[in-house]
Amino acid sequence: MKFNVIATAALGASTVSASASAEAASKMEQVMEIKVKQWEDARARGLFGGSLLYPKIKKSTPCVKGKAGEYQCSKVDLHGFLSHEDLGSQTKAGNDVWGWTSATGREFGIVGETDGVGFVEINNDGTLDYIGRLDTATTPTSWRDIKVIGNHAYIGAESQDHGLQIFDLRKLLDVKPWWNPFFWKPKVFDKVKDLTAHFTGFGASHNIVAHAATNMIYAVGGRSGANARNTTCAGGLFAVDVSNPAKPFSPGCIPQDGYVHDAQCVIYKGPSKKYNGREICYSYNEDTLSVLDVTDKKSPVVVSRTPYVGNAYSHQGWLIDNSNTYLLLDDELDEMNKVGPAANGHTTTYIFNIANLEAPINTGLWQSPAKSIDHNQYVVNGLSYQANYGSGLRIVDVSSIPRDPTGSSVKEVGFFDCHPEDDDVNGVVEFLGTWSVYPYFKSGYILLNSIERGIYSLKYNGPRAKY
């Protein structure tokens, strides 16, 4: 364990084990070094080939007999594709992705890349138009994260002194106005003049957590700046109030459980009734699932810290629904390090009963048919949309969990594999392929961002969750 925490409702006090913290930091640096080495090797092999190697796709390619063009698939059709070079990236490498829907229903993607973000519009037929881009605030980095609250995108990165770029997405509407759908050209936005604000209260961040209900952005992780692991903020939740996006400010940081890799925050309404109405963050903190009460930013409380068999690096997760009863957790190193159930290399998703916030229980797990490392997942209407590196998008029906929390009734219902290079061996445990997925558009189109290729527009045509 990296932290020995003594939490009280009155003080939210904590004590930090320096040796354990150093061990966790070493693990984080180790995995980042492995990723960089694998990406450099892939670049040397020509896999970051840009638009010449990965030409744009401007028509629908249905999934037929397990294939959509060169890609293996099941019940997921390919509707469009643009390479990172098509999006103006000089480094031709991707990471995170998020989405935004305008007041009139137009759908846009914010595509993370190592040197900034590209903006795309999803057309009615699912094809993609490149609208423009916003370059990184400082230097390129492989780690960039994006979230949206209202009409603004909030962009953080591991770049030194990057801070938080705040961009008004309504600017995209003027690039391709509805009354001029043919004669327009993409716009490169000025990274100073075109921002609503640039918050520099923290430096680097590893991920951005958005909580729309409180108009709060939490920057987490980061290797440098005010929220680095070796600061008083300890890499924890660094709060930025964006009630007025033009005037962001920080009410404080939350170091009580040390470094946070990712989190999901809610206004709690669930079985642990004493916490109803509180702002609760489910945090993925390297060696635990941690539950934090962050209602009072000056006096946050560590509600619980739960380890689990198979832990190698607690990375990210998501609630299965709004009942605050079960969540899914993905561990980024268990497959690679051959730890616990994931020693067979198959992507492993851990299931937690969180009905008692003070004592969550790991009730079971689910393993993918493919070998791959898991990265990010989001649950919509009983389906978990998982971005699992080399095995691509995996769509998993998790609606059975409340009646069978062991995970034995969980079922994969569709997939789209954006990394054909390892298809002949049913997957390889490495950090190539997809980074993240955005499954929230009303149209049903799904954005999947590949590290070495580009951005895909997909649509699932399989059954709904069974419940």
Side-chain angles (χ1 to χ4, degrees):
M1 296 293 177
K2 63 183 183 300
F3 288 96
N4 299 318
V5 179
I6 304 170
T8 67
L11 299 176
S14 68
T15 62
V16 179
S17 164
S19 61
S21 180
E23 180 182 352
S26 176
K27 183 186 293 186
M28 181 62 173
E29 291 297 324
Q30 180 185 27
V31 70
M32 293 176 83
E33 288 175 6
I34 293 171
K35 290 180 180 182
V36 170
K37 177 64 166 59
Q38 290 186 2
W39 295 333
E40 288 175 347
D41 290 346
R43 189 174 293 276
R45 301 199 311 269
L47 293 185
F48 290 85
S51 55
L52 286 178
L53 187 60
Y54 310 120
K56 63 181 66 175
I57 297 172
K58 296 292 288 182
K59 64 177 182 179
S60 175
T61 307
C63 179
V64 178
K65 296 182 180 180
K67 294 282 263 188
E70 67 174 308
Y71 302 102
Q72 289 190 351
C73 58
S74 174
K75 297 183 177 63
V76 178
D77 298 326
L78 171 61
H79 287 265
F81 169 82
L82 295 174
S83 74
H84 292 302
E85 187 175 24
D86 290 331
L87 303 186
S89 173
Q90 299 298 308
T91 55
K92 307 175 189 176
N95 39 58
D96 193 35
V97 63
W98 207 250
W100 173 69
T101 302
S102 74
T104 57
R106 292 172 66 181
E107 296 176 339
F108 295 87
I110 309 105
V111 184
E113 294 165 329
T114 57
D115 53 353
V117 298
F119 300 109
V120 298
E121 180 167 11
I122 301 90
N123 298 311
N124 290 337
D125 62 357
T127 57
L128 300 173
D129 284 337
Y130 168 51
I131 300 297
R133 68 178 290 104
L134 177 69
D135 288 332
T136 182
T138 54
T139 56
T141 177
S142 294
W143 290 270
R144 189 173 310 281
D145 207 61
I146 309 129
K147 293 296 183 294
V148 171
I149 294 179
N151 294 315
H152 288 82
Y154 298 88
I155 307 165
E158 279 279 14
S159 307
Q160 187 168 347
D161 299 325
H162 186 279
L164 187 70
Q165 293 174 300
I166 303 176
F167 179 80
D168 190 338
L169 293 162
R170 290 170 294 190
K171 289 178 179 288
L172 304 180
L173 302 176
D174 297 328
V175 177
K176 192 181 84 171
W178 65 269
W179 47 266
N180 183 18
F182 302 110
F183 302 103
W184 59 277
K185 62 180 181 179
K187 178 178 180 178
V188 176
F189 292 94
D190 190 290
K191 65 180 182 181
V192 176
K193 296 178 183 178
D194 282 318
L195 291 182
T196 300
H198 184 199
F199 179 81
T200 57
F202 62 87
S205 59
H206 199 81
N207 279 307
I208 297 297
V209 179
H211 190 195
T214 59
N215 285 310
M216 201 68 64
I217 290 290
Y218 295 102
V220 298
R223 291 186 289 177
S224 63
N227 196 39
R229 194 189 294 265
N230 60 353
T231 67
T232 55
C233 289
L237 293 157
F238 191 106
V240 182
D241 189 313
V242 293
S243 298
N244 181 351
K247 295 181 179 180
F249 69 92
S250 176
C253 60
I254 300 166
Q256 272 71 9
D257 194 37
Y259 186 98
V260 176
H261 189 274
D262 212 338
Q264 181 184 9
C265 301
V266 301
I267 298 300
Y268 185 81
K269 182 179 180 181
S272 293
K273 296 190 181 300
K274 67 182 279 189
Y275 295 99
N276 279 347
R278 310 289 292 178
E279 185 178 10
I280 297 295
C281 292
Y282 301 101
S283 300
Y284 304 91
N285 288 18
E286 302 189 303
D287 56 2
T288 60
L289 164 65
S290 295
V291 180
L292 309 177
D293 184 342
V294 300
T295 310
D296 183 352
K297 305 298 183 288
K298 301 300 182 184
S299 186
V301 176
V302 179
V303 177
S304 61
R305 302 184 74 250
T306 306
Y308 55 94
V309 174
N311 168 257
Y313 196 88
S314 173
H315 176 266
Q316 189 262 358
W318 212 251
L319 293 165
I320 70 164
D321 56 29
N322 294 327
S323 70
N324 285 282
T325 305
Y326 288 94
L327 62 71
L328 308 175
L329 178 151
D330 48 77
D331 188 299
E332 196 179 19
L333 283 182
D334 53 348
E335 293 91 5
M336 173 163 283
N337 290 358
K338 299 182 179 180
V339 175
N344 61 9
H346 289 262
T347 312
T348 302
T349 302
Y350 298 89
I351 300 166
F352 282 80
N353 182 323
I354 52 169
N356 181 354
L357 291 181
E358 297 175 359
I361 303 169
N362 177 204
T363 60
L365 56 86
W366 178 79
Q367 288 198 316
S368 170
K371 290 185 178 181
S372 181
I373 299 170
D374 36 9
H375 201 221
N376 291 301
Q377 64 180 316
Y378 302 99
V379 182
V380 181
N381 296 326
L383 300 179
S384 176
Y385 294 80
Q386 301 186 344
N388 292 343
Y389 282 108
S391 66
L393 170 66
R394 298 280 156 167
I395 303 176
V396 183
D397 186 341
V398 297
S399 62
S400 62
I401 288 177
R403 65 178 183 272
D404 181 8
T406 67
S408 61
S409 300
V410 171
K411 181 181 179 182
E412 181 177 277
V413 292
F415 73 86
F416 181 89
D417 188 341
C418 64
H419 188 68
E421 287 81 1
D422 63 4
D423 286 354
D424 57 342
V425 293
N426 192 34
V428 174
V429 177
E430 60 182 4
F431 297 106
L432 293 171
T434 183
W435 186 284
S436 198
V437 59
Y438 183 80
Y440 292 105
F441 288 127
K442 185 177 180 180
S443 65
Y445 291 117
I446 302 161
L447 292 180
L448 185 72
N449 199 11
S450 159
I451 297 169
E452 63 269 22
R453 294 190 174 218
I455 186 72
Y456 296 85
S457 172
L458 310 170
K459 181 172 275 190
Y460 172 61
N461 61 33
R464 296 181 178 182
K466 291 187 175 180
Y467 286 100

